[in-house]
Amino acid sequence: MNQFVSAVISRMNQSGKKKKAIKKKASAEQLYESFVTKDDWASDDSDNSGYAAVKVRRTKKRPAFSSSSSSEESESNYDSDESDDANEPSSSRRKTKNGNKETAAKGKRGKATSVRSKKSPKKVEAKKSESNGRRSAPKRQRNGSSSTTTTVAEKASASNSTKLEIKSNNIILPPLPAEVWAKIFCYVIADVGTMPFLLRITRVGRVFRDAAWNKICWRDVRMDAQGLTRSRECLEHFSESFIGHHTRQLSLSHWEELTIEDLDMILYRTSRLTSLDISFCRKLEISEMLNCLKIRLPQLRSLDLTYVHEYFTQAKPIKADLLADYLKSEESANLRYLYLNGNYIGQLEKLLETASSWKCAGELQTLDMSGVNTGRSHSGKDGARVTQIAVHHCTRPVDLGILAKATPKLVTLRLAEVSLDYSATTLDENEKVWPLLENVDLACELLLSQSATMSAATNSSGNRPSYRVPGFSHLLQLFSGCRQLKDLTLNGIDGASDLLLLLDDDLPLQQLQLRRCRLMAYTDAETLRGKIEQYLPTLRELDFGWINEGSFENFLNSLFTEFTGEGQLMKVNLIGCPITTEALRALLDRNQHLEWIDLTSCRSVVRGCKRLHSGVADIRELRRSLRRI
C-alpha cells in the first residue's frame, strides 16, 4: 500500500500538482479502490502492489491485439498515457514548446521506465518477457490472418458474455429491444394491472420508459388501482396521453365522481373499445349513459354496470324499458358479457320476457342479475355487516323459459337473491335448454331474513328456515338438461336436494354450495349420499355450512367415512355441522390437496380444532393432531 501511495505521488509530482498530491495522500485507500478492481489485484502480491497499480493504470486502455508490426505495437502500448496526460497541465506540456511532441513522449516513457525499474526490477523483466511473447504471436500468423480474426472475435464475444455476470448483488439485464420488453410487460399487466405498474416502470431507465409507452401495453387499461388519484384532471391527462383508439379494455371501477361528461370524453377517444367496466360509478344517469354507449361503442363485447344504481341510494328504480331498448338496438349485437348485479331494476319480469328480441341474445355467454330487486345496506369494516334488507317483489310470475330459448350459448347465469316467481313456463315437458351452462347461482340467503314477506319453512328441530322458491318445480326443468355444470350454488333454497337428484351422474362438478339448505326433508339420506359421493372425485369446493338437521349427522359422517376413493377437495366449509372426529380424520386423509377448512361451532370435534384452518401448514398440523387422538 505504501508503494502504491508513493507511485501516485511521484506521478502527480511529474504533472506539477504537488499540493493536490498531498491532499490525495490522505485518501490513498479511496484511490486504491477507485481505478483498480478486485479482479485486477487477484493475482498480485502484496509486496509489488505499487508496481501492480502502475501496471493496471498503463495496460487498462491497451487496444485489442492485432497483426501489426512490433514497432507499431510498441508505440500503441503507451497511447493511454498520452491520452491521460494530454488533459493535464503538466510539465510534459511545457516540453512541447518547440513543437517536438515525439521527443516529449519519449522522455516521459523513459521516466516511467526508470520508475518501474527502481520499484520492482524483477516484475519489469517478467513483463518484458511476456510482452515479447505476445508480440511474436502475430509475426508467426501473418500468413494466416483469418485465424487471428477468429481469435479476436472469440475474445470479443467472451468479453461481451461477462456483462451478464452478477456484481455486488445487482443483476445486469441483457440488452433486449424495447419491443421485447413491452411484450414482457403485457404479461405482468395481466396479473397486477396497468396502473400504477407502468408509471413506476418508466422511472427505471430509458429502455423501460420506451417500452412502457408502447401502445400494446395500453390495450388493457385498468384505472381502479388503490392509491390512484380519482379526479377529473387525472382522467383528462390519461385520456389525452395514454388512452386512444388502440385501447380495447377499460376499467373505471369505483370512480364515484365520474360524470356523464367525463365518460363521453373518454369514450370519444376509445371508439374501438370492446370491454368497459364502470361498476360503482353511482353518479351516472342511466338513460344518458346508455345513449352514450349506443353512439360511442358499437363494438362493445363486455359491459359491467355493477352497483351503478343501488336500492338504498336511488329513489326510483331503473326502468326495464331503458335496458330493453339498449339490448334491442343494433349497437349491442356484439355483447357477450352483461353484468347488472346490485342494481335496483323495476319490473324485472318484463325485462326477462323481452329476451327473444335482444340482438345479443343468440351469442350471450354471461348474464349476472344477482340482487337486482333486493337492496341491502352495509356497515362495519369493509362493509361486511348487512344492517338493512329490502325486497322488491315481482307483481306476476316470470317465464324464464323465454330467456332459456333465446340464449342457447349461455355459460354463466347468476340470479342470486332475486325474488322471482317461476310458476309460468312455455317449455315442453321433455324440452332441454342451456346445454353449455357451466355456472349457476340461485342463492337465497338474504331472503331468509324476510320471513314476513316470503314463504319460509321451519323444520321440527327448530333450525334456521329455508326459502321455498315459488314455482321451484318449473325451475328444476330448466337445469335438468345441463350436461356441463361445474359450479352450482343453491344456498338457502328449500328442496335443493330435488335439483341434485335430477342432475346427471357424470357431471364435471367442481363447486357445490348448499349452505343453510334443508336436504333431509324431502329426500332419503342414502339416496342423496350416493348422489354426492359420485361428485367427490371431481369436487374442488364443498359447502355444508349451518346444516344441522336431525338426520344430517348420519348422512355427513357416512359420506366421508365410507368414501374410499381419492378426493380433490381444496376448500370445505363445515361451520356449525355435526361432523365427528372420525369423519373429519377420513376427510383429511382422502383429500391431500386440502388448503382451507372451517370447523367453527362443530360441537363433535375435539377442543382446539374448532376454528378456521387456512394454509397447507395449518392443515398438516390439523392432520397430526387428529392422529394423536
Side-chain angles (χ1 to χ4, degrees):
M1 188 68 184
N2 295 330
Q3 295 178 1
F4 171 74
V5 174
S6 60
V8 173
I9 294 174
S10 61
R11 181 65 178 270
M12 303 189 75
N13 288 335
Q14 292 177 10
S15 60
K17 294 185 177 181
K18 296 182 179 180
K19 294 182 179 180
K20 207 166 188 178
I22 296 173
K23 295 180 180 180
K24 290 290 182 180
K25 184 177 180 180
S27 58
E29 294 182 357
Q30 297 178 359
L31 278 173
Y32 180 80
E33 298 176 355
S34 61
F35 64 89
V36 181
T37 61
K38 295 181 180 179
D39 297 335
D40 296 329
W41 288 87
S43 60
D44 292 335
D45 299 330
S46 58
D47 55 344
N48 296 326
S49 58
Y51 170 74
V54 178
K55 177 183 176 181
V56 171
R57 183 64 178 271
R58 286 188 175 278
T59 61
K60 194 172 183 179
K61 297 183 179 180
R62 181 174 294 176
F65 182 68
S66 62
S67 60
S68 60
S69 61
S70 59
S71 60
E72 293 175 351
E73 292 175 357
S74 62
E75 293 178 2
S76 64
N77 289 337
Y78 302 97
D79 289 343
S80 60
D81 294 339
E82 293 181 11
S83 60
D84 293 339
D85 298 334
N87 298 326
E88 298 177 0
S90 61
S91 59
S92 62
R93 288 195 175 185
R94 299 192 188 100
K95 296 180 181 180
T96 59
K97 290 182 179 180
N98 298 328
N100 192 359
K101 295 183 179 180
E102 296 181 358
T103 305
K106 291 180 180 179
K108 287 182 61 179
R109 289 188 215 122
K111 291 182 179 180
T113 306
S114 63
V115 171
R116 291 198 298 271
S117 62
K118 292 179 181 179
K119 296 298 179 183
S120 54
K122 295 181 180 180
K123 202 72 174 181
V124 173
E125 292 178 1
K127 179 184 176 183
K128 288 181 179 181
S129 62
E130 293 176 1
S131 61
N132 292 333
R134 289 196 299 269
R135 290 172 186 173
S136 61
K139 291 182 180 180
R140 290 193 294 267
Q141 295 183 3
R142 280 184 180 177
N143 296 331
S145 59
S146 60
S147 61
T148 307
T149 306
T150 55
T151 305
V152 174
E154 291 175 358
K155 290 182 178 181
S157 61
S159 61
N160 292 333
S161 63
T162 57
K163 295 181 180 180
L164 302 179
E165 296 179 356
I166 300 177
K167 297 181 178 181
S168 65
N169 297 329
N170 294 325
I171 300 178
I172 303 176
L173 297 176
L176 298 177
E179 292 77 10
V180 178
W181 283 114
K183 189 64 177 178
I184 295 174
F185 292 162
C186 292
Y187 292 101
V188 182
I189 292 171
D191 293 334
V192 301
T194 310
M195 312 295 289
F197 169 73
L198 286 181
L199 296 183
R200 292 174 178 174
I201 205 67
T202 54
R203 304 176 184 177
V204 175
R206 178 180 56 83
V207 178
F208 279 17
R209 185 183 67 246
D210 297 341
W213 291 159
N214 198 314
K215 290 184 178 180
I216 65 173
C217 294
W218 295 91
R219 293 174 63 90
D220 182 6
V221 182
R222 291 156 57 182
M223 302 178 62
D224 52 357
Q226 297 181 358
L228 190 64
T229 304
R230 293 177 171 86
S231 61
R232 182 180 178 84
E233 293 77 11
C234 180
L235 204 60
E236 291 178 354
H237 172 69
F238 280 106
S239 61
E240 294 175 359
S241 303
F242 310 117
I243 303 175
H245 296 292
H246 56 274
T247 305
R248 295 295 181 268
Q249 301 179 14
L250 178 62
S251 176
L252 297 172
S253 179
H254 290 86
W255 282 68
E256 298 184 0
E257 301 298 327
L258 184 70
T259 60
I260 191 62
E261 291 80 8
D262 301 335
L263 183 62
D264 185 71
M265 174 190 65
I266 296 175
L267 299 185
Y268 175 76
R269 302 177 183 274
T270 57
S271 59
R272 299 179 182 177
L273 205 65
T274 60
S275 176
L276 178 62
D277 182 4
I278 50 176
S279 57
F280 297 93
C281 298
R282 298 182 176 89
K283 286 192 175 182
L284 294 176
E285 184 65 29
I286 298 298
S287 59
E288 296 179 357
M289 182 262 295
L290 294 177
N291 292 331
C292 184
L293 295 179
K294 290 181 183 180
I295 299 172
R296 302 297 187 192
L297 302 179
Q299 302 178 7
L300 196 63
R301 295 175 57 88
S302 176
L303 179 60
D304 192 347
L305 301 178
T306 302
Y307 285 98
V308 175
H309 195 90
E310 289 186 90
Y311 194 98
F312 286 100
T313 58
Q314 304 294 334
K316 298 181 180 180
I318 301 175
K319 294 182 179 180
D321 297 336
L322 294 177
L323 294 173
D325 292 342
Y326 173 72
L327 295 176
K328 292 178 183 179
S329 62
E330 295 292 338
E331 289 78 7
S332 65
N334 297 321
L335 204 61
R336 300 292 182 269
Y337 310 94
L338 180 60
Y339 303 91
L340 300 173
N341 51 307
N343 296 305
Y344 181 25
I345 301 177
Q347 298 180 344
L348 180 61
E349 64 278 6
K350 184 177 181 180
L351 175 63
L352 294 175
E353 290 176 354
T354 59
S356 58
S357 58
W358 295 355
K359 295 297 180 181
C360 61
E363 301 294 331
L364 194 65
Q365 299 180 14
T366 299
L367 179 62
D368 190 351
M369 306 185 73
S370 301
V372 292
N373 60 359
T374 303
R376 71 199 79 174
S377 61
H378 301 271
S379 65
K381 186 177 181 180
D382 299 330
R385 180 183 178 186
V386 180
T387 58
Q388 188 177 0
I389 299 175
V391 180
H392 180 75
H393 296 279
C394 295
T395 56
R396 56 184 176 83
V398 60
D399 186 4
L400 207 60
I402 300 176
L403 177 66
K405 293 179 181 180
T407 56
K409 296 184 179 181
L410 198 66
V411 177
T412 301
L413 176 64
R414 296 190 178 97
L415 294 174
E417 313 302 341
V418 178
S419 178
L420 290 176
D421 187 356
Y422 302 100
S423 301
T425 181
T426 56
L427 294 177
D428 297 336
E429 184 177 356
N430 296 324
E431 187 175 2
K432 305 298 181 182
V433 292
W434 285 327
L436 303 178
L437 198 62
E438 296 181 0
N439 306 311
V440 177
D441 188 358
L442 301 174
C444 299
E445 286 187 274
L446 288 178
L447 300 178
L448 292 176
S449 59
Q450 298 293 318
S451 58
T453 57
M454 67 181 178
S455 176
T458 305
N459 70 349
S460 58
S461 60
N463 66 313
R464 303 190 181 204
S466 297
Y467 177 64
R468 188 68 179 178
V469 178
F472 188 71
S473 59
H474 295 90
L475 194 63
L476 296 177
Q477 184 183 358
L478 291 172
F479 302 106
S480 61
C482 299
R483 299 290 186 269
Q484 304 294 331
L485 271 181
K486 295 181 180 180
D487 185 0
L488 182 59
T489 303
L490 302 174
N491 297 335
I493 295 181
D494 189 14
S497 56
D498 296 340
L499 179 58
L500 291 176
L501 296 178
L502 290 176
L503 299 179
D504 291 343
D505 297 339
D506 56 348
L507 282 180
L509 203 62
Q510 297 181 2
Q511 296 184 15
L512 180 60
Q513 301 185 23
L514 301 172
R515 186 169 58 251
R516 301 178 190 273
C517 292
R518 293 182 62 198
L519 300 178
M520 304 292 105
Y522 307 95
T523 308
D524 181 55
E526 289 295 327
T527 305
L528 183 60
R529 184 186 63 80
K531 190 69 175 181
I532 297 180
E533 188 175 348
Q534 295 177 355
Y535 301 139
L536 285 180
T538 60
L539 278 176
R540 300 293 187 273
E541 182 177 347
L542 182 61
D543 191 351
F544 282 141
W546 296 116
I547 300 180
N548 52 6
E549 295 177 276
S551 58
F552 182 71
E553 181 178 357
N554 297 330
F555 160 78
L556 185 62
N557 296 325
S558 61
L559 176 65
F560 294 128
T561 54
E562 298 181 7
F563 177 70
T564 58
E566 182 179 355
Q568 303 294 329
L569 284 173
M570 301 179 65
K571 183 177 181 180
V572 179
N573 184 14
L574 298 175
I575 180 174
C577 292
I579 187 172
T580 61
T581 304
E582 182 182 358
L584 180 59
R585 188 186 299 111
L587 172 64
L588 296 175
D589 293 339
R590 298 289 188 273
N591 299 271
Q592 297 297 326
H593 302 284
L594 198 63
E595 298 179 356
W596 191 96
I597 185 170
D598 193 354
L599 300 176
T600 307
S601 301
C602 294
R603 297 182 178 180
S604 301
V605 179
V606 296
R607 183 174 298 180
C609 299
K610 303 176 184 180
R611 60 180 181 86
L612 174 62
H613 301 268
S614 178
V616 178
D618 201 0
I619 299 297
R620 188 185 300 114
E621 184 62 28
L622 177 62
R623 288 194 182 99
R624 293 175 181 174
S625 60
L626 291 177
R627 289 170 184 172
R628 299 191 194 102
I629 300 175

